[in-house]
């Protein structure tokens, strides 16, 4: 765990105490006993006020110091850290309880805390590259400080760890998916015929498609899923979008970037995949429709294909009862410029 709280400044207190004990002596006429008592009381009151002012200032500053906690999200990662002698926890449940207690304590003091995912393998690599001793609290603190700027992290808003950990893992998966898709897009390079950057062209087309999909969807909550079978694995991106009173779409920029990148990868590489949207509006059945990615083309799915996809068990292939109050339908027309094949020669 790492943050940067203000440290108590005890130097002035030590100097004041030393002075009152006569360590610093000057040759002055000796006052009467009454005068000495009054002078001592005045100095004590002034010292008390100064000490109280410093404490108040530190409390005010401490509330403005942001902190980051590196969290081990599962027992596998926890066991990996148990190999270090300076890691003080013996069991995962006790560790989680201590983390949650610290988070609540800092929140009660008005302190802002960010929770980052602590990966033991990445930590070991970090220490090796930086020449640090991994069996050291200060090394863990330095790594956690790096996570605050680089790794997946979420602010602590008082939610229980049982809710925070899955959200943090989802954030890590989202970031890894975006980084991987971006890397594959960048590797495509430029077209040998016209010199256009293939990945950039596909990303522009993907952005236009997403804008048209949101523009043609009915107002309400929209839940979009895009999957692309790229290289050795299937990449999945999820996007949530709501409409404000003016009809504009409100969405998370990081989610939108990941979604657009994954869709662009499918368009640029001609990989198989699909995009499905589910819209939810008050006093109306949900609407579900979508498109398939086929050799760089963006093709609408029929209502029957959507129905089959939602009512077939992915593992067994058996039929699943359709949901109530859901319409499986044909997608709206995205316009003549929305579905041409991606850049090719």
């Amino acid at each position: 765990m790492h943050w940067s709280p203000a440290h108590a400044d005890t130097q002035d207190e030590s100097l004041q105490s030393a002075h009152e004990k006569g360590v610093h002596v000057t040759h002055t006429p000796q006052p009467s006993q009454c005068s000495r008592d009054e002078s001592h009381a005045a100095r004590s009151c002034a010292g008390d006020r100064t000490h109280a002012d410093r404490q108040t200032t530190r409390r005010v500053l401490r509330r403005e110091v942001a902190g980051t906690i590196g969290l081990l999200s599962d027992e596998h990662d926890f066991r990996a850290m148990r190999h270090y002698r300076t890691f003080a926890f013996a069991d995962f449940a006790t560790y989680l309880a201590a983390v949650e207690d610290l988070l609540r304590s800092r929140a009660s003091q008005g302190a802002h805390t960010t929770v980052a995912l602590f990966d033991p393998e990445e930590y070991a690599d970090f220490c090796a590259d930086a020449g640090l001793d991994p069996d050291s609290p200060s090394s863990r603190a330095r790594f956690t400080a790096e996570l605050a700027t680089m790794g997946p992290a979420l602010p602590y808003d008082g939610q229980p760890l049982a809710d925070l950990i899955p959200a943090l893992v989802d954030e890590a998966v989202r970031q890894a998916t975006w980084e991987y898709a971006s890397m594959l897009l960048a590797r495509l390079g430029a077209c040998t015929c016209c010199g256009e950057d293939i990945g950039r062209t596909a990303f522009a087309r993907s952005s236009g498609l997403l804008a048209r999909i949101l523009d043609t969807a009915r107002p309400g909550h929209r839940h979009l899923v895009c999957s692309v079978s790229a290289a050795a694995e299937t990449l999945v991106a999820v996007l949530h979008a709501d409409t404000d009173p003016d009809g504009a779409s409100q969405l998370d920029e990081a989610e939108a970037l990941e979604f657009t990148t994954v869709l662009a990868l499918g368009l640029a590489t001609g990989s198989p995949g699909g995009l499905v949207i589910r819209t939810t509006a008050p006093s109306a059945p949900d609407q579900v429709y979508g498109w398939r990615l086929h050799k760089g083309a963006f093709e609408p799915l029929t209502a029957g294909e959507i129905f089959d996809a939602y009512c077939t068990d992915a593992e067994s292939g058996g039929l699943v009862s359709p949901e109530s109050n859901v319409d499986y339908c044909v997608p709206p027309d995205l316009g003549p410029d929305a579905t041409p094949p991606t850049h090719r020669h």
Side-chain angles (χ1 to χ4, degrees), residues 10-272:
T10 58
Q11 185 177 8
D12 290 343
E13 296 172 10
S14 299
L15 289 175
Q16 179 184 343
S17 176
H19 181 72
E20 290 175 352
K21 291 178 181 178
V23 174
H24 178 67
V25 180
T26 56
H27 296 286
T28 55
Q30 296 295 312
S32 65
Q33 180 65 41
C34 181
S35 298
R36 285 199 302 272
D37 290 345
E38 291 174 353
S39 176
H40 178 76
R43 287 199 306 273
S44 297
C45 289
D48 289 344
R49 284 195 299 272
T50 301
H51 180 69
D53 289 344
R54 280 200 299 268
Q55 285 186 321
T56 300
T57 301
R58 285 196 295 268
R59 282 195 296 269
V60 170
L61 288 175
R62 193 174 291 117
R63 288 197 295 269
E64 299 188 20
V65 174
T68 301
I69 291 178
L71 176 65
L72 300 166
S73 64
D74 56 43
E75 293 202 45
H76 177 270
D77 288 347
F78 178 82
R79 286 195 299 270
M81 295 303 295
R82 287 276 295 135
H83 296 153
Y84 299 119
R85 179 185 55 83
T86 56
F87 186 74
F89 297 95
D91 66 90
F92 189 52
T94 301
Y95 164 78
L96 290 180
V99 171
E100 191 153 30
D101 182 65
L102 176 60
L103 288 170
R104 289 174 177 171
S105 175
R106 286 177 53 78
S108 69
Q109 297 168 8
H112 174 80
T113 308
T114 298
V115 183
L117 208 58
F118 194 106
D119 186 299
E121 291 185 6
E122 292 182 1
Y123 170 64
D125 293 340
F126 170 82
C127 290
D129 293 341
L132 299 174
D133 176 13
D135 197 358
S136 168
S138 63
S139 297
R140 292 194 288 272
R142 284 185 60 176
F143 178 66
T144 302
E146 291 284 332
L147 291 178
T149 59
M150 297 169 45
L154 293 174
Y156 176 71
D157 297 322
Q159 66 272 51
L161 282 186
D163 295 334
L164 181 59
I165 289 177
L168 192 57
V169 172
D170 287 345
E171 178 68 11
V173 171
R174 182 201 60 75
Q175 181 170 319
T177 299
W178 171 74
E179 290 175 351
Y180 183 63
S182 298
M183 177 192 68
L184 294 180
L185 272 179
R187 285 181 178 177
L188 296 176
C191 175
T192 56
C193 294
C194 67
E196 285 189 11
D197 187 288
I198 298 174
R200 187 175 294 114
T201 301
F203 189 87
R205 182 181 170 215
S206 174
S207 299
L209 282 171
L210 178 58
R212 287 296 298 150
I213 290 170
L214 294 176
D215 287 344
T216 56
R218 69 178 181 181
H221 175 72
R222 297 87 169 267
H223 178 83
L224 297 86
V225 179
C226 179
S227 63
V228 172
S229 298
E233 58 184 302
T234 298
L235 301 181
V236 178
V238 177
L239 176 64
H240 301 87
D242 294 295
T243 50
D244 61 21
D246 296 329
S249 294
Q250 301 293 324
L251 42 83
D252 181 88
E253 291 185 3
E255 276 190 356
L257 178 60
E258 179 208 2
F259 193 93
T260 306
T261 304
V262 171
L263 177 57
L265 182 64
L267 295 171
T269 60
S271 301

Side-chain angles (χ1 to χ4, degrees), residues 207-222 224 241 243 247-249 275-280 287-291 298 300 329-339:
S207 299
L209 282 171
L210 178 58
R212 287 296 298 150
I213 290 170
L214 294 176
D215 287 344
T216 56
R218 69 178 181 181
H221 175 72
R222 297 87 169 267
L224 297 86
T243 50
S249 294
L275 189 157
V276 175
I277 177 172
R278 181 173 188 145
T279 67
T280 303
Q287 288 185 346
V288 180
Y289 52 87
W291 298 260
F298 198 63
C329 49
V330 175
D333 184 10
L334 299 180
D337 298 327
T339 57

